[in-house]
Structures are given as C-alpha cells and as structure tokens.
Amino acid sequence: MKISYNWLKNYINTDIDYKELSVILTNTGLEVEGIEHFQSVKGGLVGLIIGKVVESSKHPDADRLSLTKVDIGTGELLPIVCGAPNVDAGQKVVVATVGTTLYDGDKEFKIKKGKIRGQVSLGMICAEDEIGLGASHDGIMVLDENAKIGQKASEHFDIEEDIVFEIGLTPNRIDGASHIGVARDLAAFFSQKKKTEYTIPSVENFKTDNTNNHISVSIENENACKRYAGLTISGIEIKESPDWLKNRLKAIGLNPINNVVDITNFVLQETGQPLHAFDADMIKGKQVIVKTLDKGSKFVTLDEQERELSENDLMICNPEEGMCIAGVFGGAKSGVTEKTTSIFLESAYFDSVYVRKTSKRHILQTDSSFRFERGVDPNNIIYALKRAALLIKELAGGSISSEIVDVYPNPVADHRVNIKYTNVDRLIGKQIPHDKIKNILLSLEIKIVEETDEALVLDVPPYRVDVTREADVIEEILRIYGYNNIEVSTDVKSTISYAPKPDRNKWKNTISDLLSNKGFNEAMSNSLTKSAYFENLQSFKAENTVKILNPLSSDLDALRQNLLFGGLEAVIYNENRKNQDLKLYEFGNCYFINPENKDENTLNKYYEENHLALFITGNKDTANWNVSTQKSDFYELKAYTDQLLKNLGYSVEKFKLEEIANDIFDYGLSYQLANKTFVNFGLVSKSLRKSFDIDGDVFYADFNWDVLMNKLPKTKQFQAISKFPEVSRDLALLVDKSVKFSQIKELAFKSERKLLKKVSIFDIYEGEKLGVDKKSYAINFIIQDEFKTLKDKQIDKIMNNLIRVYEKELGAKLR
C-alpha cells in the first residue's frame, strides 16, 4: 500500500524529515518497505527554462527548419535550430538547455551542443509531448505573455514533487490502509510528547438539493451486508479530473480515469472506505436490492468477462438483474461512462468472509475487496458518502437529488475489553505510568468506560477489527509507547531443555555447507503447487494429494508431494534467463493423504515427510581456454549423492541398489536398507521435462531426510589407516545380460563379510563372440586384514569361494 507524504500533510501538521517519518511508521506497526520519489512530470522539468524567441528566420539550407535566437535570461542569446512550423519571434517558449535530459516513456535522451545543416544549435525549443505536459506534437508549446523569462519551467508549471511510502500492511492493520488512518496513528505517536490532533475534511456543508431521483434500497441477506447507504447526484458532467486530483492518484500508482471514478478512488485512499458509482439511469425500477443470485447465474463484469456466479456471491441488483459483485467488481452495464448524467453513489459494509471467498473464487483482487476482506469501519460509511458527494458536486457539477438512504438493521457495537495494569506491566516487561497508558488509549479513540486503580474497562471502536482481547489492547499501548523504549533486561530467564538426537538442524546446516561448497545454490520453492502436476502419475498418485479448500488460484491449489516440480519450475525460470548451468538443492516438507486410512479423525489421514532434493543440469564447469565444456551426467549426481551419505556417516557399500525407471525417472538408482528407501536419483523423465519446456537433461536426487535422520549411525569414530597392505584382485565374469552389478556386489559381501572391503566394476563388454544374451563384467575386489598381512593361500581361498558362488547363483563363467 502506498501513502503520499504531501497528501498525508492535509490531515496532520508535520514537517518531519521523510526518513525519520519512515522509521516512526515502522515502529508503530506500519512497516515502510520502500520509499519512492514522485514527480508529476517525469524528470521534474529539470534543465528547462522559460525563454523568448527574439529572432526567427528560415534556415538557408533547409526549408522546414528555422534559425532562432532565444533569450533565457542569462544575458546572451542562444542560437537554436528549430523544426516546428509555428515558431515565430516574440513567442514565450520552453527551452531545453544543453545537458538537459528529456524522457519519452522509459527512454531518455540528453540535449547536446551540435550543428544542424551547418548551423550551431545550443538547445531545443520544446513541444508539450516532448516534456510530458501533453500529447500534442503539432508544434512548439507557446506560453502566454505573463511567463517570466529565465524562470525554471518546474516553477512556471507548478510541478509537484512528493515522497511516497510503500507500506507492507499486515492483515490485522487494515485501519492503516488510508491516509487518514496513518495520520491517526502518527497523531497518537506525537501526542506522547506534545498533544497532536489530526483533522479530516469537513462535510458540514452537505445538504440534499432535491428529492427528484430517489432510489430505494433493501437488503435480503443481512449476514452478508451489515450496512448499505446511498444517494443520487443528477446533472453531472463526466470529464477529466483537475491536476491536483490526478497527481494525488498518480503519486500512489493509480491511473486517473474520469472525475467521478477518480473521486471514488480518492475517497477510498483517503478514508479507507470503498465506494461505487452506478449510472442511475441503468438502475431499473429505481430499486437497489442486496442479495445473492442462483448458482450458475451469468454476469458480465467491467472487464467484459462473463462470470458464472455461486449461490454465495453477494450481488447488488435491480429488480431484473445483477449490477455489481458486492465489494469486489462492478458490472459492464451499470458503470459510469462519458454519457452518464446522474449517478447512484454506494457506501456499504459487507461481510469480510463473503467478500474474501468471492474474490478468491473469481480470482479478482481489487482495492475494494482488499479492504472489505479485512474489515472496514461501519461508522465511517456516511462520512465517506458525504465527502465523495461534495467532491462530485465541486468537480462534476450537478445536485444531490435524494436523501441519504441508510439501511443498517443491526448496528455494530464497540468491543468491550477489560484490562488490568498488572497484565500490561507483565506482558510489556516494563511499568508504564497509568496516565501515559490512558493518554495512548484516548489518542487511539479507545473510550475509557470505567476506571479503577487496578483496571480499565474500555470500548474499542469497530475500525480496529483486530482489537478484541486484553492482549490486543496491550499491543496497541506498546506500539505507540515504542518497542525501542523497552529496556532489555539483564536477567536471564530460561528453562533447561534437552535437544533431541540427532540434531536435525545441525545436520541440515552441515549438509547445506557441503553442498554450497560444491557449487550448489539453495532453492526455496512454495509448498503450495498445482494439483494438475500429479494427474496421471503412478509414482505420486493424484488421490494422495492434499487439496486446499480455498485456493488462491488453480496454480496453488494443493500441497506438494515432492520437491521435483518446484525444482523444475526453478530450472526453466533460470534457463529462460540464460542461466543454464545449475546445481540446486532444497530442504522441504512433502505432504500426503492416505485414502485407505478410515480413521474417524480426519487429521490422522494426513502425514508429511521432510525431504532433500538435488538438481543438476547444463555443463559441469564453465568453459575457458584450457578446459572444454562437459555436460553434467548421472555419475556426477551419483558422486554427490555418495559424498552426502558418507558425510552423514553411512557406508554406501552397505546399501542395496535397485535400478529404477518410471514416470519420474528415465533411469536411475534407489538406495535401500532394512526395507527403507533412503534416496532415489537419476535422469528426470523426458515427458516431465517436455511438460516444463526443458530441452536439456535434468538429474534429480530425492533424499528422504526423515529416514536418513532416523537411521543415522549413532557414532562416527576415527579409524586409523591400517599398516597392513590391502590386496587387489580382478575377475572377468561371463554372465547373462539380465544380471546386474548390484547382484554381484551383494553376493560378494554375503560370501566374505570380514576381509572383503570393496567391490567395484571397471569394464563391461558385449559382443558376438561372447554368445547370445551374454556380457562380460570386469570386477575388482579389495581384500584386507587390518591386523596382519594376508597370505596367498587366504587370498586364493576367498577368490575361489567367490567364483564358486557366482557359478552357482548366477551361472557365471570365468573368461
């Protein structure tokens, strides 16, 4: 949300530096996330001077150019070559001097000294579109005779400059979603040192001119609409807004439309109360009915889109049809156009839940819905209506042609809250004088109903929708008193607790450091994802997806079952920005539903797991003069996977290896132990890569972090290097093509558990000479006794035993 400093000064008298003010706003709960400098004309007309054309003559070498001499008040006449057809001696003009920067949208160019067809030119006489003061380019801008030679153009045209605060408004602080709301907070803060009042524009002059255009109002759904007020204004003229109004809106990022619409937007930003203007001639039957329509009803909104309504969408209707989605978006038929001559002006208090659900249902987020979703002030309805009506009369003419119709069946009462001074002191951690507490409460317009030495009974106005408990009131006291005014206690108060083993956060940091040192970058993706990702997947079935009941959008309608899709989104995001060589890792929770669980407690159907994902794509290293590029591959990912497991204390050799190929992986490996899967890794399937428009290979590892932590080796002890040598032996085995290396490795360790240290493959050969469906594995075995030197007899016994096992179990033959 944006707040204009110039606009804010209309309601509170302050000249405090904007940087200091931003700190105050942040300290009082309205965090300033950014500060912008606004100019009503881009560039602020810096370098532009009012001048007078003293001489003008035709260019000797160009029919369409003129040679001029211009007085800009420096005592010397500037020679300027001008191409405008209307330039003439005696004119007062705007001159861009050498060095001035002019803007054309996002482009800019600087005026330089130069020669045009042989004639020196020291500036430019400007047209209105060249300096942002209009759209005409028919000729130079000719000023009236009263313009002062040598005056800065920014002073002549009264260019407005402003400071705009970007406030990160939290959902509980909707009271600060207006300039008056911010002024109220500042007045409360300043009043702690000196009594400060904020002022609001008077509406005492409001009166009904006639009752010639009365429109009745009825509310059928009082739960969805707590209050509805309106009036008509007739004989208006729709036209462009004055500069002061356009500048107010442009400063906070709104585009001016016409005087009536701009006024409703202005009052919204001023008071926080959304308004809507209907073309009164489009209200059939002269009746406004607030109700819901039948499910499936069609309605065309202002953006010309036809929307299908829910039975829970609150509508503003006439007796024949809907005219507006209440609190969210107007209708195409009833909106204000340049032909409108009379309007019905609405100011209402709609239920926040109804508006929020409708806004999310139709994916419509507007300034009005933003405020209604969080709660507006029901006591502000009539003031905002009168304020807008007076401004419309002033800027659009016309007369107020009906009494205010105010339907308010169940007035909203103040929140009654009791607070004890002892609780204030306890929660804040400091004893604040009682007079100061009462002063803060009164400055926030919180009424003190009863008072004792120990407690206060308060009535909190409904504009503070979030202040309903004692703790809420104490928070209000603290934010105005100042968090920084609470001294840090020197006492240490703590409870001894024992951290669970293993320390998961410590291991996450350790592995994060390892991966970062290996060149990985950490990714953090949204745990909300698109449920469509899991359709037609067998590895992660759609029925196991946890759906969101009120999703923000169809792209964020479910909780993720894996970290893969968030990673692929990150990959294509980077690739589209020419960052194609990626190594990413992410820790995150994955969420599941077990449809077979028939437990009456539905929460028991849901469970979550913590996972770690690795992604590798592109080239291994950046190419340079002595290193050629090499594509990332499966074995690079396997090396990182093994290194990570070793750092956690696991022995990779002890894992059971299973080859995998499914709808997630084209090929890959699964490391398993004791019927638990620790990690699956491999090449992401071509179909998934294609669905994300990823052309290159993406290698992905999915670690079940919960399993890794639960099975983590308890001790990681130092082991000295044995002084006795290890022995290396090789076997060339002829086996069936169906035999996997994992089978050979597993049989080896089953056959010799004590002295066999390592089994690896260093060659695979297939050929016609080997026979049909045969292949040859070249296997290396490392054998070692850590307490003595092995003898040939022991080694031969081990190797012969291995050969016998392979022949028996796998039908292998030695080559």
Side-chain angles (χ1 to χ4, degrees):
M1 187 195 70
K2 294 185 177 182
I3 293 294
S4 156
Y5 195 13
N6 288 348
W7 194 346
L8 188 63
K9 290 178 181 179
N10 291 336
Y11 315 110
I12 187 167
N13 184 20
T14 180
D15 57 358
I16 191 171
D17 181 73
Y18 71 90
K19 293 180 181 178
E20 185 179 351
L21 185 66
S22 72
V23 174
I24 293 172
L25 290 172
T26 298
N27 289 340
T28 55
L30 300 174
E31 183 179 1
V32 176
E33 296 180 337
I35 297 176
E36 300 174 4
H37 293 263
F38 168 77
Q39 295 170 320
S40 56
V41 174
K42 189 171 183 179
L45 303 186
V46 175
L48 298 175
I49 307 295
I50 305 302
K52 181 177 181 179
V53 180
V54 177
E55 298 179 13
S56 178
S57 60
K58 289 293 182 183
H59 193 295
D61 298 322
D63 294 338
R64 297 185 179 182
L65 297 179
S66 299
L67 301 180
T68 67
K69 291 187 177 180
V70 183
D71 179 10
I72 61 169
T74 60
E76 297 182 4
L77 299 181
L78 288 182
I80 297 177
V81 178
C82 180
N86 64 329
V87 65
D88 201 0
Q91 293 173 333
K92 298 285 183 71
V93 293
V94 180
V95 179
T97 56
V98 173
T100 299
T101 299
L102 298 181
Y103 299 89
D104 180 13
D106 294 330
K107 299 178 182 179
E108 60 181 56
F109 63 95
K110 184 174 287 189
I111 303 299
K112 299 178 181 179
K113 176 182 178 181
K115 284 188 176 182
I116 302 176
R117 295 290 181 93
Q119 300 294 323
V120 174
S121 184
L122 298 181
M124 184 174 85
I125 303 175
C126 301
E128 64 178 43
D129 68 323
E130 293 169 329
I131 57 177
L133 292 176
S136 173
H137 196 69
D138 294 337
I140 60 170
M141 191 176 189
V142 180
L143 308 179
D144 59 51
E145 279 298 321
N146 296 326
K148 297 179 181 179
I149 297 174
Q151 186 182 25
K152 294 179 179 179
S154 58
E155 296 175 357
H156 176 81
F157 292 104
D158 193 22
I159 300 302
E160 182 174 347
E161 297 192 8
D162 198 358
I163 299 296
V164 180
F165 301 102
E166 180 74 41
I167 293 179
L169 200 67
T170 53
N172 65 314
R173 288 304 314 278
I174 192 62
D175 63 288
S178 66
H179 285 76
I180 289 177
V182 173
R184 178 171 48 216
D185 257 20
L186 290 175
F189 178 83
F190 292 145
S191 291
Q192 304 317 301
K193 293 184 178 180
K194 181 184 177 182
K195 182 66 175 177
T196 305
E197 300 282 351
Y198 74 96
T199 58
I200 62 175
S202 173
V203 292
E204 290 183 358
N205 293 332
F206 175 87
K207 66 175 182 177
T208 300
D209 297 311
N210 58 68
T211 56
N212 296 335
N213 197 7
H214 175 75
I215 293 178
S216 65
V217 173
S218 61
I219 301 176
E220 292 188 6
N221 189 333
E222 295 181 358
N223 291 325
C225 180
K226 309 294 177 64
R227 187 177 191 180
Y228 192 97
L231 55 78
T232 61
I233 306 175
S234 302
I236 63 171
E237 179 187 0
I238 303 299
K239 57 185 178 181
E240 185 179 357
S241 297
D243 288 341
W244 71 265
L245 179 53
K246 291 192 291 185
N247 288 339
R248 286 285 181 262
L249 297 178
K250 287 193 288 186
I252 59 173
L254 298 180
N255 293 321
I257 298 172
N258 59 53
N259 50 358
V260 171
V261 175
D262 291 348
I263 287 169
T264 60
N265 286 332
F266 175 85
V267 174
L268 165 64
Q269 300 293 333
E270 179 182 60
T271 67
Q273 173 60 42
L275 303 172
H276 188 72
F278 298 88
D279 188 324
D281 294 334
M282 296 293 123
I283 302 178
K284 298 176 183 178
K286 297 296 182 180
Q287 295 180 55
V288 168
I289 307 168
V290 186
K291 63 178 182 178
T292 54
L293 296 178
D294 293 336
K295 182 179 180 180
S297 298
K298 306 296 183 181
F299 181 69
V300 180
T301 46
L302 276 171
D303 55 2
E304 301 296 335
Q305 288 194 30
E306 184 179 76
R307 302 178 187 274
E308 186 172 307
L309 301 177
S310 161
E311 70 275 15
N312 294 317
D313 291 333
L314 188 66
M315 298 291 295
I316 310 301
C317 309
N318 59 48
E320 298 182 18
E321 60 189 355
M323 299 187 296
C324 173
I325 302 177
V328 179
F329 211 38
K333 292 183 179 180
S334 61
V336 173
T337 68
E338 64 276 3
K339 297 179 181 179
T340 299
T341 58
S342 61
I343 62 169
F344 175 78
L345 191 61
E346 164 198 283
S347 182
Y349 177 45
F350 299 120
D351 180 73
S352 58
V353 175
Y354 270 83
V355 173
R356 181 173 65 252
K357 289 184 176 181
T358 295
S359 175
K360 298 296 184 290
R361 190 179 296 118
H362 296 287
I363 317 176
L364 285 171
Q365 183 70 48
T366 61
D367 283 342
S368 291
S369 68
F370 177 84
R371 286 159 176 82
F372 281 124
E373 286 176 25
R374 290 156 178 79
V376 299
D377 182 5
N379 296 335
N380 197 34
I381 303 296
I382 301 303
Y383 172 80
L385 187 63
K386 290 180 177 179
R387 170 72 167 148
L390 290 173
L391 285 172
I392 290 172
K393 280 190 66 177
E394 177 184 343
L395 302 182
S399 59
I400 298 173
S401 52
S402 75
E403 298 286 352
I404 293 177
V405 179
D406 183 13
V407 183
Y408 196 8
N410 301 300
V412 178
D414 293 345
H415 307 300
R416 178 64 58 90
V417 181
N418 300 321
I419 68 166
K420 293 182 179 179
Y421 288 122
T422 53
N423 289 337
V424 175
D425 298 340
R426 178 175 59 84
L427 289 180
I428 290 179
K430 179 179 180 178
Q431 191 171 24
I432 300 175
H434 294 182
D435 288 342
K436 183 171 282 292
I437 290 174
K438 290 185 285 185
N439 182 38
I440 291 173
L441 294 172
L442 292 173
S443 65
L444 291 172
E445 301 177 2
I446 296 176
K447 303 168 189 173
I448 299 175
V449 181
E450 296 180 21
E451 178 181 356
T452 66
D453 292 339
E454 293 80 25
L456 295 173
V457 178
L458 308 172
D459 275 352
V460 180
Y463 85 84
R464 285 313 306 268
V465 295
D466 62 311
V467 181
T468 58
R469 306 169 302 163
E470 182 182 35
D472 300 329
V473 175
I474 294 173
E475 183 182 1
E476 291 298 288
I477 295 169
L478 178 57
R479 71 179 183 84
I480 298 300
Y481 180 77
Y483 294 98
N484 294 333
N485 292 327
I486 307 301
E487 297 81 5
V488 178
S489 174
T490 56
D491 297 336
V492 176
K493 299 176 182 178
S494 63
T495 302
I496 296 175
S497 61
Y498 296 94
K501 299 294 183 181
D503 188 335
R504 293 187 173 220
N505 289 330
K506 177 183 176 182
W507 279 113
K508 276 189 179 181
N509 291 334
T510 298
I511 297 303
S512 294
D513 288 342
L514 168 70
L515 293 170
S516 296
N517 291 335
K518 294 288 186 182
F520 282 78
N521 288 304
E522 184 172 9
M524 285 184 282
S525 56
N526 199 335
S527 57
L528 292 175
T529 188
K530 188 188 299 185
S531 62
Y533 285 151
F534 302 101
E535 293 178 1
N536 303 319
L537 279 184
Q538 292 302 312
S539 301
F540 296 93
K541 294 183 178 180
E543 58 262 31
N544 296 339
T545 305
V546 180
K547 296 286 189 70
I548 305 299
L549 292 177
N550 54 339
L552 297 173
S553 70
S554 58
D555 289 339
L556 298 171
D557 64 343
L559 290 169
R560 63 190 176 194
Q561 290 193 62
N562 57 43
L563 303 179
L564 173 61
F565 299 118
L568 294 179
E569 288 174 353
V571 168
I572 190 60
Y573 181 89
N574 279 271
E575 285 190 356
N576 288 340
R577 288 153 182 80
K578 306 302 181 184
N579 185 23
Q580 297 173 331
D581 302 331
L582 299 171
K583 290 194 289 188
L584 304 174
Y585 72 93
E586 178 178 9
F587 286 97
N589 284 345
C590 298
Y591 307 87
F592 308 90
I593 182 172
N594 183 1
E596 297 178 0
N597 190 326
K598 304 302 181 182
D599 196 320
E600 291 183 1
N601 183 357
T602 55
L603 288 179
N604 293 335
K605 290 185 178 182
Y606 303 96
Y607 65 98
E608 60 186 80
E609 296 174 352
N610 197 236
H611 282 243
L612 164 64
L614 306 185
F615 298 89
I616 299 177
T617 186
N619 296 321
K620 290 183 180 179
D621 300 297
T622 304
N624 56 48
W625 67 274
N626 65 346
V627 177
S628 59
T629 58
Q630 187 177 359
K631 291 287 186 182
S632 296
D633 55 29
F634 171 80
Y635 297 102
E636 181 186 8
L637 178 62
K638 184 178 184 300
Y640 289 128
T641 299
D642 291 352
Q643 181 66 54
L644 189 153
L645 291 169
K646 288 177 181 177
N647 274 53
L648 289 170
Y650 286 98
S651 175
V652 177
E653 289 76 15
K654 293 183 179 180
F655 284 110
K656 179 183 178 182
L657 275 60
E658 290 285 344
E659 293 183 13
I660 51 175
N662 50 37
D663 46 15
I664 298 297
F665 297 104
D666 277 345
Y667 61 82
L669 286 176
S670 176
Y671 283 2
Q672 300 175 4
L673 193 64
N675 297 321
K676 295 285 186 181
T677 299
F678 284 68
V679 58
N680 293 324
F681 62 96
L683 173 66
V684 176
S685 70
K686 187 175 182 179
S687 60
L688 283 180
R689 284 179 278 137
K690 184 178 180 180
S691 68
F692 281 85
D693 294 326
I694 298 172
D695 296 325
D697 290 343
V698 178
F699 297 93
Y700 161 62
D702 176 23
F703 294 84
N704 190 320
W705 191 254
D706 288 336
V707 173
L708 285 170
M709 291 295 100
N710 292 336
K711 301 293 183 180
L712 195 71
K714 294 184 179 180
T715 57
K716 190 176 180 182
Q717 297 179 341
F718 165 77
Q719 187 175 1
I721 298 175
S722 176
K723 63 181 180 180
F724 300 102
E726 61 182 29
V727 177
S728 176
R729 289 288 186 269
D730 298 333
L731 289 179
L733 299 175
L734 181 64
V735 296
D736 293 337
K737 282 188 176 182
S738 61
V739 175
K740 301 176 182 178
F741 168 68
S742 59
Q743 295 174 266
I744 294 174
K745 183 177 179 180
E746 185 178 353
L747 286 171
F749 281 110
K750 282 184 178 180
S751 176
E752 179 54 57
R753 300 176 184 274
K754 183 178 179 182
L755 300 181
L756 185 61
K757 302 299 181 183
K758 186 178 180 181
V759 180
S760 59
I761 184 171
F762 62 89
D763 188 36
I764 302 175
Y765 173 71
E766 296 181 17
E768 294 180 0
K769 294 181 179 181
L770 296 180
V772 180
D773 294 330
K774 296 289 184 180
K775 63 182 175 182
S776 174
Y777 279 139
I779 310 295
N780 176 255
F781 302 87
I782 301 296
I783 307 169
Q784 184 183 38
D785 191 329
E786 297 178 1
F787 303 102
K788 61 183 178 181
T789 302
L790 289 170
K791 296 180 180 180
D792 289 342
K793 188 175 181 179
Q794 290 175 282
I795 298 168
D796 291 342
K797 181 179 178 181
I798 292 170
M799 296 306 297
N800 288 333
N801 192 37
L802 287 173
I803 293 170
R804 186 167 53 254
V805 169
Y806 289 144
E807 288 176 345
K808 180 181 178 181
E809 299 292 336
L810 303 177
K813 294 181 180 180
L814 289 180
R815 289 189 62 204

